[in-house]
Amino acid sequence: MVPLSHYLTVSAVLFMIGTAGVLFRRNAIIIFMCVELMLNAVNLTLIAFSQFLGDQTGQILVFFVMTVAAAEAAVGLAIVISLFRNKQTVDVSKVNILKW
Amino acid sequence: MQNGEIAFYLLSAGAITFALLTITRKSAVVSALMLVLTFCFLAALYLTLSAQFLAVVQVAVYAGAIMVLVLFVIMLLNLESEDIHVSKNWKAVVGLLAAMGVLAQVLAMIFMSQDKFPKTISPNAAILGTTESVGRTLYTAYSFPFEMASLILISAAVGAVVLAKKRLT
């Protein structure tokens, strides 16, 4: 029987990989994919807790997280496309008009 | 070791390996394909928790729909690969350290509260994960949030069309 803490550890490691990706990559699409990876790591935590505690609410929450992730994917990629139209790049270090 | 444990450790090793490959590949297309594999391994991990419905939704929505959308955008933008020089860029090093800090915090929290966790998976976990049971809860107790989810999706679709169509000046 795999203990709950092992599932949580795997999820924490995946979340950390996602965070590292967001912080050190410069390609906006890869940053976006890393955010998806972080969402998935949290989903694993929710499902593990849901099944160990015998409470279905966690799985319902994962379903809604997936819905919001789909909406986020559509809007995020539209932003990337309009960014590319205006700046001819998706390198986030070259997009700095909102920086002080 | 039982079969279930071996499966869990193999699947989590696979998920972590492909997640690492996702963030270290130069080409966005290779990154996206590695992320698809990560999502498939995560779906298999959901199966080891007997969450069948979410495992199938994970493959269909994440590995299928969302990643196809990402690949489509990569194809439209025709991106060149980015060169990754972590050691030459102090911001990237700080980023990596911050990520390590996040990991250390979460792991500390897990191991500090470990004795409060339930020891085994719930006996009715297999029933809770079926499409029938999740669907019944979604359409009864959570019917209003379920309808709200459809509103979120339609507004996101409209927003995406408006954002991608208009040329901002």
Side-chain angles (χ1 to χ4, degrees):
Chain A
M1 193 69 238
V2 185
L4 176 56
S5 55
H6 289 196
Y7 280 103
L8 299 185
T9 309
V10 171
S11 160
V13 171
L14 285 175
F15 190 85
M16 176 274 209
I17 294 172
T19 319
V22 169
L23 290 174
F24 86 84
R25 292 305 297 259
R26 284 178 286 115
N27 185 333
I29 295 179
I30 292 179
I31 290 178
F32 173 81
M33 291 196 289
C34 291
V35 173
E36 300 285 335
L37 185 61
M38 288 160 78
L39 282 171
N40 262 277
V42 175
N43 282 353
L44 180 61
T45 306
L46 285 170
I47 294 181
F49 267 119
S50 160
Q51 294 292 45
F52 273 77
L53 295 170
D55 183 345
Q56 204 173 30
T57 319
Q59 295 185 48
I60 305 292
L61 185 52
V62 170
F63 181 81
F64 286 117
V65 169
M66 283 177 175
T67 316
V68 173
E72 179 233 329
V75 175
L77 290 171
I79 291 175
V80 170
I81 287 182
S82 87
L83 179 72
F84 189 79
R85 280 231 182 111
N86 286 286
K87 307 278 275 187
Q88 276 71 47
T89 181
V90 289
D91 187 334
V92 289
S93 61
K94 292 190 182 118
V95 183
N96 51 7
I97 47 171
L98 278 184
K99 261 190 184 169
W100 68 88
Chain B
M1 269 213 285
Q2 292 166 332
N3 284 340
E5 292 180 28
I6 296 168
F8 169 78
Y9 292 114
L10 283 179
L11 290 171
S12 30
I16 290 170
T17 312
F18 284 114
L20 279 174
L21 285 174
T22 305
I23 66 162
T24 48
R25 292 306 94 185
K26 283 180 185 172
S27 142
V29 179
V30 180
S31 266
L33 293 177
M34 293 297 144
L35 195 61
V36 170
L37 283 174
T38 314
F39 287 161
C40 292
F41 274 98
L42 271 169
L45 274 177
Y46 295 171
L47 278 182
T48 66
L49 285 163
S50 57
Q52 319 157 8
F53 172 67
L54 289 172
V56 174
V57 172
Q58 166 89 4
V59 173
V61 173
Y62 266 115
I66 292 183
M67 292 319 290
V68 166
L69 202 59
V70 170
L71 284 171
F72 235 93
V73 169
I74 296 172
M75 180 200 81
L76 282 176
L77 302 188
N78 195 14
L79 298 173
E80 72 281 17
S81 341
E82 126 192 25
D83 44 337
I84 312 167
H85 294 298
V86 174
S87 51
K88 290 178 191 162
N89 186 349
W90 66 270
K91 282 180 192 161
V93 178
V94 173
L96 278 181
L97 287 177
M100 292 289 179
V102 170
L103 178 68
Q105 255 179 343
V106 177
L107 286 183
M109 286 306 293
I110 290 171
F111 288 103
M112 262 156 46
S113 49
Q114 204 174 17
D115 46 335
K116 297 194 197 92
F117 289 161
K119 293 285 169 285
T120 54
I121 197 158
S122 159
N124 47 2
I127 305 162
L128 290 182
T130 57
T131 312
E132 184 193 355
S133 149
V134 175
R136 183 166 287 138
T137 317
L138 263 182
Y139 279 108
T140 54
Y142 293 92
S143 55
F144 181 70
F146 187 67
E147 297 302 325
M148 284 298 108
S150 63
L151 261 182
I152 290 178
L153 284 175
I154 188 77
S155 52
V158 172
V161 170
V162 170
L163 267 177
K165 193 177 128 220
K166 210 155 82 184
R167 184 176 284 275
L168 305 170
T169 43

